[in-house]
Amino acid sequence: MNTENSLQATTAVRPQLPDTRTVTLRVNGTTHQLQLAPWTSVLDALREHLQLTGTKKGCDHGQCGACTVLLDGKRINSCLTLAVMQENKEITTVEGLAKEGELHPVQQAFIDHDAFQCGYCTPGQICSVIGMVNEGKAKTLDDIRDLMSGNICRCGAYINIVKVAQEALEKNTGL
Amino acid sequence: MRPFTFTQAQDVDTAVQEVSLEGAKFVAGGTNLLDLMKIDVMSPSHLVDITQIALETIEETEAGGIRLGALAKNADTAYHELVETRYPLLSHAILAGATAQLRNMATDGGNLLQRTRCYYFYDTQTPCNKREPGSGCSAIQGYNRDLAILGTSEHCIATHPSDMCVALAALEATVHVTGKNGERAIPFADFHRLPGDTPHLDSNLQPDEIITSIELPAKGFAKHYTYLKLRDRASYAFALVSVAAALELEGDTIKEARIVLGGVAHKPWRVPEAEALLQGQKATRDNFRKVAEAYLQGAQGFGHNDFKIELAKRAIVRALEQATNR
Ligand SMILES: Cc1cc2nc3c(=O)[nH]c(=O)nc-3n(C[C@H](O)[C@H](O)[C@H](O)COP(=O)(O)OP(=O)(O)OC[C@H]3O[C@@H](n4cnc5c(N)ncnc54)[C@H](O)[C@@H]3O)c2cc1C
Ligand code: SF4
Ligand code: FES
Ligand code: FES
């Protein structure tokens, strides 16, 4: 990210290097005050500054969905948004889903349906299924396939992921 | 990503002032700009966050149309009741693009200003006139399967990748902007540019101008419309060719036709003279094919994308048939 070189390159145009600033993030019901540079993505804030490494970095370019989290209940790619832009929003990651030691029904459904192999895409898939239920636009199997297409699974566990999504819709297991 | 300074504008005037700083850019949803900043294709030294400005409302206008706030999210726009019922063409076009996650962040203003998906534009190791004026175009002699067949220049054959914009062009939207010199309204057809010898400019928006809203006229073609997107996968891929088709029919006679192509040019491609060929005609496959031929007149392939010319013609015919039968 900020190597010696790129720091020097911008110094020429803009004498003052941007300082870190205090950023207040609400994550899984807890408020955190972090010292962050403005270019820190929500994903990097979660992983590098809050040690919440359940949210994965696949591509860092909005293409894979591994970094999917819920922002005020809706799905977003945490790699393509800056932490400084998401103050005062409720961020929910995979770590925030289990309640009182009980897995969220969608987490449990991933196990019951054997809907993963390596598991790398799974936290993003779980958040995405929950977001899909919350958003309330999926009705048919085709809708599920379309509205879950932002989550790539390199192991190809799609068939069982779709089963999880179907069950979540039927049981209305959102956030 | 290169370091940058960052401010949040609370109103349009402040935003316009702050973007006048050397090297400054607005950021809205961030889904295109941050992506390009990560790979150094764009490297603003200052970002002005405009998402705190109250510009996300979708409402009816006095003229009987609707106004989309520039900061309305793509998802909120596509699923808005006024859009779904009166402008379903727009709703379908938006939902044909990107993914649920991206549409939840992406804004309507940002969608208009998203940059091309030309692979060489993304690859800073190769010459590209759009990224670095005067360096040359790698695509013309290179791999150009996804690129333009209409309105190209010897300097650039990039396409505009938006789905939403294809529908907005068909619906004859107006883009409202505010800059240092005040407000102005830009008809959608004049918003984006052809590459000519200035391929680094995608649109006619001035650097100090902010899009405040997008206005749709009353006529929404809610009865006979189609957004047809042809791509390499069924979902989550950019268009090879797309067609926004809208018809006003009386029986099987066409009163008015709107046809706009996406994925084939540097801007949504509309040919009003060709559309006019359908006026007063019967909605038949033969007539549709005639229009399709007229639309693609002058089209030029660059090798890998030659197939797009016939594909676009067939897509026009199919889209018009679907629109008729809807
Ligand atoms: C993996 C992937 C797949 C995608 N697939 C598709 C697809 O199939 N079809 C499709 O149409 N799109 C697709 N997109 C693109 C997506 O639609 C755009 O990235 C999005 O619409 C941009 O909006 P934004 O608000 O995030 O813009 P930003 O990234 O915030 O900004 C984009 C540009 O617009 C400027 N800007 C933003 N708002 C304003 C304003 N109000 N006034 C003036 N300037 C402004 C910014 O300065 C910047 O230059 C895809 C994107 C990704 C990452
Ligand atoms: S087509 Fe345009 S964007 Fe692509 S390499 Fe050529 S100049 Fe660059
Ligand atoms: S890491 Fe964000 S979409 Fe791949
Ligand atoms: S389980 Fe391995 S990528 Fe999805």
Side-chain angles (χ1 to χ4, degrees), chain B residues 116 118 120-121 127-130 136-139 147 155-158:
Chain B
T116 185
C118 172
Y120 302 103
F121 176 70
C128 166
N129 287 326
K130 187 179 275 301
C137 171
S138 299
L147 301 183
H155 304 290
C156 179
I157 60 170

Side-chain angles (χ1 to χ4, degrees), chain B residues 23-49:
Chain B
K25 271 260 163 216
F26 293 129
V27 60
T31 61
N32 191 230
L33 183 61
L34 296 176
D35 188 17
L36 291 169
M37 285 170 66
K38 287 182 189 201
I39 52 172
D40 229 5
V41 170
M42 291 177 80
S43 41
S45 52
H46 181 70
L47 284 191
V48 183
D49 175 7

